[in-house]
Amino acid sequence: MTDPWLAPDAPVPPRYGELATPSSPYQSAPHSNGPFPGSNPGQAWAPPPKPGLIPLRPIGFGTLLGASFRVLRRNPKATFGSGLIVQAVIMLVTVGIVGLVTFWALDRIDSAPLDQKDAVTAGSVLAGLLSAIIPIALSLIASALLQAVIVVEVARATLGEKLRLGTLWRRAATRLWPLTLWTLLLGGALLVGVAVLAGIVVLLISVGGAVGLVAGVLVGVFGGLLLAAASAFLFTKTSVVPSLIVLEELGVRASVIRSWSLTRGYFWRTLGILLLITVIVQVISQIISLPVSLLMGIGTTLVDPAGAFMEQSSIILTVVSLIIAIPVAAVAAVVQSATIALVYLDLRMRKEGLDLELARYVESAAQGGDVPDPYLAPTVSGGYSAA
């Protein structure tokens, strides 16, 4: 039915979620609450479409926070399932390898002759440290894979697509090694910073006497704060590197340069979002895991107060802790990876008009058109092109 208050030749505004045609006077910029500059200010504004996870417009904090958790609910088999598999493999391999080597090392130290105990202890400690290399390497690769999976899921969910777990893993695997390299570089930079600071503190304390002790403490405190600030700055400026590596198929160096550019002007907003999501996830994790750990400890004491079954109790406690820790860690990893992907989408929408490209893609795909991937296509005239 035609609106009786409209003039006979007046155009009909688009319905909610309906894309306005370029010739329609109701075509509006999704970044504002009004029409394009130069158009009639009395014209109506059509809300941006929402084909999937988020509306196709720059993302507000409330929307971003909700979408980070909605990723789990929207496609739980692919997202939570991937997180569960990855975290289970990491934890089980870590407990298996490090636990067995530690048990062997302690048994070796206990059975060593008194005159060889120091040498055996040193060798056992070294074996324990070396045994951690395999779980660390596996953790880097598995975490990179999970991050790639969630980035792909968020990107396709924004377009209204819902991919199966196998499809997500196949797509993510093509960018696994560049993402693993980036994870290794970022972790290595942090490790080098900590090692240098610790070396300076130890040197001051060992050679400086009382003055050196005071200097070492001060350097440790203020150096730690400086290192934390530098780490937060570096992590924020390079926060969307994983999304760039996976979605735009860039190398590590090009991704770092582009991430630095995308976050320019949005540093504090990005840092605030990442910090707040991290705090929320950690608080929820502690709320779930801490009471269970306390109950398990109390229960073990009540069941076996004399400690007669200490070994069996430790095994049971470890198994129960893993059963609780693995799902919690899976949820935390998925939410944090989804947040990074959503920050990337938000930055490109704000700075490059990616929302317009996504809207065109959704409209063309609905009409059966063959359109290129909007995350690879250039978004501004004369601007960036992933190719």
Side-chain angles (χ1 to χ4, degrees), residues 22-319:
S23 59
S24 170
Y26 296 97
Q27 176 72 49
S28 303
H31 301 185
S32 64
N33 290 324
F36 285 130
S39 63
N40 187 344
Q43 292 169 357
W45 172 73
K50 184 184 176 182
L53 184 65
I54 55 174
L56 299 184
R57 57 171 170 76
I59 311 170
F61 175 73
T63 303
L64 192 149
L65 179 62
S68 299
F69 289 91
R70 201 179 307 121
V71 168
L72 286 163
R73 188 178 61 191
R74 187 179 184 277
N75 195 1
K77 290 183 180 179
T79 54
F80 180 67
S82 296
L84 205 60
I85 293 171
V86 167
Q87 295 300 322
V89 170
I90 292 174
M91 289 191 181
L92 291 176
V93 170
T94 301
V95 170
I97 294 178
V98 176
L100 289 174
V101 172
T102 301
F103 178 79
W104 169 81
L106 292 175
D107 182 67
R108 189 165 176 262
I109 292 171
D110 289 339
S111 59
L114 189 61
D115 59 336
Q116 300 179 8
K117 188 168 288 289
D118 290 342
V120 171
T121 301
S124 300
V125 171
L126 179 61
L129 293 175
L130 292 176
S131 69
I133 293 177
I134 295 176
I136 290 173
L138 176 64
S139 178
L140 287 173
I141 297 173
S143 299
L145 176 61
L146 178 60
Q147 199 165 43
V149 166
I150 301 305
V151 166
V152 174
E153 166 61 22
V154 170
R156 306 324 297 184
T158 300
L159 300 174
E161 301 175 7
K162 190 174 182 180
L163 304 181
R164 294 179 177 273
L165 187 145
T167 304
L168 283 174
W169 279 53
R170 283 192 296 271
R171 293 194 181 188
T174 61
R175 305 301 298 161
L176 176 60
W177 299 118
L179 196 53
T180 302
L181 176 60
W182 166 245
T183 307
L184 180 62
L185 289 174
L186 197 61
L190 179 60
L191 185 62
V192 168
V194 172
V196 170
L197 179 61
I200 294 173
V201 171
V202 170
L203 183 63
L204 289 173
I205 292 175
S206 60
V207 302
V211 176
L213 177 62
V214 174
V217 172
L218 291 176
V219 169
V221 172
F222 290 103
L225 294 175
L226 182 61
L227 181 61
S231 301
F233 175 80
L234 179 63
F235 181 74
T236 302
K237 293 296 291 182
T238 59
S239 57
V240 296
V241 166
S243 300
L244 292 165
I245 290 175
V246 174
L247 297 179
E248 299 186 15
E249 300 182 0
L250 299 177
V252 172
R253 181 175 178 274
S255 297
V256 171
I257 294 172
R258 181 151 160 73
S259 177
W260 214 274
S261 174
L262 281 174
T263 53
R264 187 177 297 123
Y266 293 93
F267 173 83
W268 293 110
R269 185 178 191 274
T270 303
L271 175 62
I273 289 171
L274 296 178
L275 281 179
L276 189 55
I277 289 291
T278 301
V279 169
I280 291 173
V281 168
Q282 292 304 318
V283 169
I284 293 174
S285 301
Q286 291 301 317
I287 289 174
I288 295 173
S289 59
L290 188 59
V292 176
S293 300
L294 291 175
L295 288 174
M296 286 298 299
I298 294 172
T300 302
T301 303
L302 292 175
V303 172
D304 186 23
F309 303 97
M310 183 68 69
E311 185 175 342
Q312 293 87 339
S313 300
S314 298
I315 294 174
I316 294 173
L317 187 61
T318 301
V319 171

